[in-house]
Amino acid sequence: MNRKQSWNIVTFFLVIIFGLTAATLLKQDRDFSENENRALASMPTLTLPSLLSGDFATNYENYLTDQFVFRDGWIGLKTTVERLTLRQETNDIYFADDDYLIEKHTGSFETEQAQANITYLAAFMEKMSETYGSDHLTAMVVPNAVDILRDKLPPFASPYDEEDYLEQIRNALPDGVWFDTSRVLQQHKDEEIYYRTDHHWKTLAAYYVYAEWIKEKGLGDTSLDEYEITTVSDEFEGTVASKVGIRIRPDTLEIFEPVDPVSYLLTYNRSDDVRSTVYQMQVLDSKDKYSVYYGGNYGLIEAKTNAGTGRRLLIIKDSYAHCFTPFTYQLFDQVDMLDLRYFNDSLEQFMEGKDYTDVLFLYNAAGFAEDTSLARLTT
């Protein structure tokens, strides 16, 4: 290779590197990635304190990563190359058996936030137990697929043992409050209880947990025969698939409707937005098909039913509750779903005068460990 050829190669790579960087900086920023179903980082504000602390550099790196030109295509190319080299994971996601993409959640359970959230939940449950008693109070922190489906993980995979973290939560709570979702899900791990392409559990898994929960709480019994199961989409590709950027076998998405249903009305965020069904079928034409439940995340959704039982349930939750909550309409006159990530009022003030008879806390394990809003349980 002569000198001229060497310079041509150097020039080519410089043009690629600086050209792509310039294109990234000049293009209009995106606020939201529909493909990944999350907000994208925006340009950070440069201040002297943020510069000296290193926060600006970190935030700017996140900004460039999120706003990089042709981002989705680069993610897919990276994954394809890694698969060709027989790698069994990428972007903290395992390529598991039966076409499962399973998130590792590396480090999620070892942070100060994860430990603080145990303290917040324990304090909240201790206070609630004085009012409701353990018979009417439940904490469910649902294990993720990496825990329950570990038999599907690649050889030599070494995921963090979520059960250790769940046991820490259990030990911190008042007696009789914890509901062991792990035990229920382990009994059904050979069934499709998690999506292959998404981080959520499937409605079937939520049903199994609901059935055991109402039995334990003395609320009755149920069977699958009491529900009509309808597949509303066989083209669901969730957020985990978006992180690897390649096509994979899509999921089916099912809804469970009681054969003998109660009627209900849903009020969103204490507004004039009132709906008569959980299922928002119009979203099935979009990327975020899981939003068929309720239409997505809201701070507060209040359901009034004609169950006629005299019981009123508050659910403090993340999106794992979306396919679980409709089951409860058969047993409660009022079911309010409250998401602290989007609810800005005081929780204590909101609960005053509501006359709830039961309180359920329902999160997935990684979501619980990472949530920065749970301090509001105690304020």
Side-chain angles (χ1 to χ4, degrees):
M1 181 182 297
N2 58 39
R3 186 181 183 88
K4 182 177 181 180
Q5 289 174 319
S6 298
W7 274 109
N8 287 340
I9 291 173
V10 171
T11 301
F12 172 78
F13 279 105
L14 288 175
V15 169
I16 291 293
I17 293 171
F18 288 102
L20 290 175
T21 302
T24 298
L25 295 175
L26 292 174
K27 78 174 183 63
Q28 184 175 359
D29 289 348
R30 294 189 298 161
D31 296 325
F32 188 83
S33 170
E34 183 178 351
N35 190 42
E36 298 176 69
N37 192 30
R38 70 176 182 88
L40 298 176
S42 57
M43 171 68 82
T45 301
L46 177 61
T47 64
L48 183 58
S50 67
L51 182 63
L52 295 177
S53 68
D55 288 344
F56 177 80
T58 299
N59 293 335
Y60 187 71
E61 182 180 353
N62 293 335
Y63 164 75
L64 286 181
T65 300
D66 275 6
Q67 301 294 342
F68 197 77
V69 67
F70 308 131
R71 169 183 167 78
D72 294 341
W74 288 112
I75 291 173
L77 177 61
K78 174 178 178 290
T79 301
T80 300
V81 171
E82 289 175 338
R83 293 296 284 154
L84 290 174
T85 60
L86 303 181
R87 284 196 59 177
Q88 297 298 308
E89 60 180 274
T90 186
N91 293 338
D92 212 36
I93 295 168
Y94 288 119
F95 295 101
D97 291 346
D98 300 325
D99 293 330
Y100 276 86
L101 299 172
I102 297 180
E103 289 183 290
K104 295 171 64 176
H105 303 294
T106 301
S108 295
F109 308 105
E110 302 168 313
T111 65
E112 291 183 5
Q113 185 70 61
Q115 293 303 311
N117 287 348
I118 296 177
T119 302
Y120 300 141
L121 179 60
F124 174 74
M125 286 295 175
E126 191 69 46
K127 183 177 181 180
M128 291 298 101
S129 65
E130 298 172 2
T131 302
Y132 299 96
S134 61
D135 288 346
H136 295 264
L137 189 62
T138 305
M140 292 184 190
V141 182
V142 181
N144 302 104
V146 72
D147 182 9
I148 302 300
L149 303 185
R150 62 180 59 208
D151 291 345
K152 296 184 182 296
L153 298 180
F156 311 113
S158 55
Y160 180 87
D161 189 352
E162 283 190 16
E163 292 299 324
D164 289 346
Y165 184 66
L166 295 175
E167 190 64 21
Q168 292 177 46
I169 303 173
R170 177 177 190 163
N171 292 336
L173 299 178
D175 292 340
V177 168
W178 179 256
F179 183 83
D180 191 356
T181 57
S182 297
R183 173 185 57 81
V184 179
L185 296 177
Q186 286 288 354
Q187 294 171 359
H188 300 278
K189 65 180 181 179
D190 294 328
E191 302 174 53
E192 274 198 27
I193 56 174
Y194 290 91
Y195 292 105
R196 288 188 302 276
T197 68
D198 194 65
H199 67 284
H200 290 101
W201 61 351
K202 300 194 77 171
T203 310
L204 180 62
Y207 164 78
Y208 286 137
V209 169
Y210 167 77
E212 290 296 321
W213 175 62
I214 63 173
K215 183 185 299 184
E216 180 176 296
K217 291 296 182 181
L219 293 169
D221 293 292
T222 186
S223 71
L224 280 174
D225 294 337
E226 297 176 20
Y227 296 89
E228 181 179 348
I229 304 173
T230 304
T231 298
V232 294
S233 177
D234 58 4
E235 299 178 346
F236 177 40
E237 296 182 20
T239 55
V240 183
S242 298
K243 291 179 181 180
V244 300
I246 60 174
R247 297 284 298 178
I248 198 163
R249 180 160 60 105
D251 279 299
T252 58
L253 194 154
E254 298 89 15
I255 60 176
F256 289 44
E257 296 183 282
V259 174
D260 185 20
V262 301
S263 62
Y264 59 86
L265 286 177
L266 306 173
T267 301
Y268 284 65
N269 289 334
R270 294 178 286 191
S271 70
D272 295 332
D273 185 358
V274 178
R275 309 180 195 182
S276 59
T277 178
V278 165
Y279 306 109
Q280 310 300 306
M281 297 299 185
Q282 70 277 6
V283 308
L284 295 174
D285 293 328
S286 70
K287 177 70 169 62
D288 185 19
K289 291 177 171 55
Y290 188 75
S291 289
V292 70
Y293 297 101
Y294 298 98
N297 291 306
Y298 291 84
L300 177 66
I301 301 177
E302 298 169 285
K304 290 186 181 296
T305 84
N306 68 345
T309 63
R311 300 186 74 153
R312 299 163 59 89
L313 174 66
L314 172 65
I315 302 177
I316 300 173
K317 59 83 186 180
D318 67 6
S319 57
Y320 262 52
H322 290 187
C323 62
F324 178 96
T325 300
F327 292 116
T328 67
Y329 293 170
Q330 299 294 106
L331 297 175
F332 294 89
D333 297 346
Q334 179 87 25
V335 180
D336 295 345
M337 285 201 316
L338 191 149
D339 193 325
L340 291 172
R341 297 171 299 175
Y342 308 98
F343 185 80
N344 296 321
D345 294 343
S346 163
L347 175 59
E348 182 177 4
Q349 291 179 8
F350 171 77
M351 293 181 67
E352 289 178 358
K354 283 291 186 177
D355 297 325
Y356 292 118
T357 60
D358 299 81
V359 176
L360 167 63
F361 181 91
L362 200 168
Y363 262 70
N364 80 89
F368 174 79
E370 297 166 0
D371 195 336
T372 59
S373 68
L374 292 181
R376 299 181 55 230
L377 285 170
T378 59
T379 58

